[in-house]
Amino acid sequence: MPTSLRTTTAALVAGLVALTTAVAAPPPAAAATTTYSASQGFSGTQGASQWTYESFAAGSQSRLTSYDASFPRWRTGSYPWVSPDALHPETSSAAARVWTAPASGTVAITGAVRKGDAVGDGVVASIRAGSTTLWSSRVTGTSGVSPGGVGSVAVTAGQRIAFVVEAGGSMSNDHTFWNPTITLTTGAGSTPPAGSLSVTAYGAVADDAGDDLAAFRATLAAARQQGRSVWVPSGTFRLSDVLEVQGVVVRGAGQQATTLLSTDPDRGSVDLRGAGAGLHDLRREYATTSVRDGKNEKNSITVHDSPSFAITGVHVVRASTAGIYVDGSSGTISGNRVEQTQADGIHVTEQSSAVTITDNDVVATGDDCIAVVGYRYQGGPSRDITIRGNDVGQGSQARGISVVGGEDVTIVDNHVERSRMAGIYISVEAEYDTVDTLRIDVLDNVVDSTPTNQPSGHANVLVYGSQGRMDEIRFERNLSVNATNHAFGVWGGGSIEDVYFIGNEARAAAAGATKFESGTIHRSGNIGF
């Protein structure tokens, strides 16, 4: 459809919004949901319940050849092997559990990965859809690592989803527990779910060169008036300016199916505003980026004053500023993948509170992967934030997870690897004039091979204060591996009060396990200190 005709059509439809209370749409297709459990579906027959048991080596894949009913397990020789709830690789051959989609639809994948013990150099666990890696993480301990960014993955009939465990170096002590569950939803197709309005009914056309912004705005206006959600079917839709989502839920057909492509690198944010706004199950991408200057219009997603917002199953690719920016709001950021941003991957600020950030995969960001920040000019800290089960780092240009001006923040069960500066960073900074940081719990995390910028002097896990007050900072049962400087550090000229280290472990720290120069340090039950 020519651009001029598309724009005219969208404008006419938008003008009728006030005169109508419903938009004709095809009746929704009934969706069917089926759950596949790796352990419950385990069998001595390859392919039963959609599961096969395989070996991946040097680009080749083959099924394991022998079934041992006494264990039970599938194996080739002694290793690799796969049992109902565990896998063990061989040095040069990965162990893989593979599920094959019986129909097209969308899958949600759950199930944490953990080592059988905390001995050895760990394993590399990954989830792959064909040649695409959906998620990957190094697993070194017995605390579960939950995959991120796999809450809504589009599949076609016959597509393979592989759960792969590779030796991290030596195969010794690589017994790895992993019992994934796949929930397959079929039948929804490109038909709007019940209670939703499709952007195509308002003139949006997928996969052409035209601008769909007017059609999206018209759909959102109608959905808000009628109390409905907005449906974006499969395909790529082009947006030429900021898109405001006011108190409406927008849902796509899956991260690999629906793309909202911003064509202006300086004005492309999807802004969530108002109570209950949401963005789900799609890909948010910029065609190009421009200079980083902190403007929110350059974020991929910006949440402004939105109580109970939700962002789930979204794949953020590129942004001139932040990937997901939260300003004075409360809500949930879960099951997303964020990469290639020029600022923070996920940034929570402006006195936001009651925000949960769980099971996300945040990599290759231009600044911190996940940051909670409170500046003095904003009037106070962000508080009551939970950061749980995220996999971050992998080439990020600053810290993995940071709290710089926050209160009552819990950082638990995350995996941080190869961030340029500290893996976990708790701070008050004079350099950016941030507020005090109080009551921070850092529990059961793994921090591996940071900082990659070794001359920075950062520790793997660092408490740093250059102004203000820091107190009740607690580290329990964290594992620091392969620190290029110190494993754990506390220093700075600010007022650092009680800092607790309980049951943590330091392995292979190039400059030594600890560097404690400030604060009142409480230690108990640590290993390697």
Side-chain angles (χ1 to χ4, degrees):
M1 182 183 293
T3 301
S4 59
L5 182 56
R6 287 158 52 92
T7 303
T8 301
T9 301
L12 289 172
V13 174
L16 292 173
V17 167
L19 301 177
T20 182
T21 59
V23 173
T33 299
T34 308
T35 299
Y36 300 84
S37 164
S39 61
Q40 294 177 11
F42 186 81
S43 171
T45 301
Q46 289 273 18
S49 301
Q50 306 303 128
W51 296 102
T52 56
Y53 313 96
E54 304 185 17
S55 171
F56 284 25
S60 65
Q61 303 169 15
S62 60
R63 290 190 177 186
L64 299 175
T65 56
S66 300
Y67 178 68
D68 181 354
S70 64
F71 191 83
R73 63 181 173 183
W74 278 95
R75 59 186 175 83
T76 295
S78 298
Y79 301 94
W81 57 253
V82 181
S83 73
D85 61 354
L87 307 90
H88 197 303
E90 194 264 340
T91 301
S92 58
S93 299
R97 188 192 312 274
V98 181
W99 177 83
T100 301
S104 297
T106 302
V107 298
I109 301 171
T110 57
V113 189
R114 64 182 177 87
K115 286 280 304 309
D117 56 43
V119 180
D121 55 8
V123 300
V124 177
S126 60
I127 301 175
R128 306 176 190 178
S131 61
T132 300
T133 299
L134 303 176
W135 170 84
S136 180
S137 177
R138 193 178 188 93
V139 180
T140 57
T142 56
S143 295
V145 178
S146 297
V150 290
S152 179
V153 179
V155 296
T156 56
Q159 185 170 352
R160 289 159 46 92
I161 303 290
F163 301 84
V164 183
V165 173
E166 303 168 84
S170 167
M171 62 179 277
S172 298
N173 300 97
D174 278 357
H175 186 134
T176 303
F177 290 101
W178 194 1
N179 177 24
T181 296
I182 293 179
T183 301
L184 171 66
T185 301
T186 61
S190 294
T191 303
S196 69
L197 304 180
S198 175
V199 295
T200 59
Y202 290 79
V205 178
D207 302 322
D208 71 348
D211 182 13
D212 297 295
L213 181 66
F216 270 70
R217 287 175 172 171
T219 314
L220 287 162
R224 186 181 182 197
Q225 183 188 59
Q226 298 173 32
R228 299 194 182 196
S229 63
V230 168
W231 168 247
V232 188
S234 298
T236 297
F237 297 86
R238 299 167 68 87
L239 304 174
S240 62
D241 203 345
V242 172
L243 180 68
E244 184 172 298
V245 178
Q246 179 75 39
V248 172
V249 172
V250 176
R251 189 176 301 277
Q255 294 177 18
Q256 297 180 1
T258 300
T259 298
L260 304 187
L261 181 67
S262 293
T263 56
D264 183 347
D266 296 325
R267 291 190 58 84
S269 176
V270 173
D271 287 0
L272 304 186
R273 298 179 182 272
L279 194 65
H280 308 281
D281 304 332
L282 51 81
R283 179 182 176 101
R284 268 290 298 129
E285 183 173 359
Y286 273 86
T288 60
T289 56
S290 62
V291 64
R292 173 184 172 181
D293 56 14
K295 293 181 179 178
N296 286 337
E297 294 85 358
K298 297 182 178 184
N299 297 328
S300 181
I301 302 166
T302 308
V303 185
H304 293 288
D305 301 316
S306 179
S308 302
F309 77 89
I311 302 169
T312 66
V314 176
H315 186 180
V316 172
V317 182
R318 286 187 293 276
S320 299
T321 309
I324 299 173
Y325 184 98
V326 181
D327 166 358
S329 301
S330 61
T332 301
I333 302 169
S334 180
N336 307 287
R337 180 176 177 85
V338 181
E339 59 183 312
Q340 302 176 50
T341 60
Q342 293 187 182
D344 294 344
I346 299 173
H347 183 97
V348 179
T349 191
E350 292 277 6
Q351 300 186 66
S352 292
S353 63
V355 177
T356 301
I357 305 169
T358 62
D359 299 323
N360 300 282
D361 192 359
V362 187
V363 301
T365 55
D367 209 321
D368 297 356
C369 291
I370 300 174
V372 177
V373 184
Y375 300 101
R376 289 192 184 276
Y377 77 84
Q378 294 173 343
S382 294
R383 53 166 47 93
D384 189 20
I385 312 295
T386 299
I387 304 171
R388 179 189 298 273
N390 302 281
D391 188 359
V392 307
Q394 307 300 337
S396 62
Q397 292 302 299
R399 288 73 62 105
I401 298 172
S402 64
V403 179
V404 189
E407 295 183 7
D408 301 301
V409 179
T410 300
I411 303 170
V412 57
D413 197 23
N414 302 281
H415 182 268
V416 184
E417 184 171 355
R418 294 194 305 108
S419 56
R420 189 169 184 265
M421 298 180 184
I424 295 178
Y425 179 72
I426 313 300
S427 180
V428 178
E429 293 182 335
E431 298 86 338
Y432 293 95
D433 197 23
T434 62
V435 300
D436 295 345
T437 295
L438 306 171
R439 298 179 300 279
I440 312 299
D441 289 337
V442 184
L443 316 172
D444 299 302
N445 303 280
V446 176
V447 182
D448 190 351
S449 302
T450 75
T452 58
N453 179 28
Q454 191 272 344
S456 71
H458 279 206
N460 248 12
V461 177
L462 175 60
V463 176
Y464 169 73
S466 53
Q467 74 171 22
R469 177 172 170 245
M470 303 179 70
D471 193 19
E472 291 296 318
I473 314 299
R474 185 176 299 270
F475 298 92
E476 295 187 16
R477 301 179 304 277
N478 300 284
L479 173 62
S480 169
V481 185
N482 302 321
T484 58
N485 294 309
H486 294 88
F488 297 89
V490 182
W491 61 75
S495 177
I496 302 176
E497 300 178 22
D498 290 313
V499 183
Y500 298 83
F501 291 91
I502 302 170
N504 302 281
E505 182 176 358
R507 295 188 206 155
T514 62
K515 181 182 177 181
F516 295 153
E517 295 184 342
S518 302
T520 301
I521 307 299
H522 306 267
R523 312 189 207 188
S524 175
N526 301 291
I527 300 171
F529 279 33

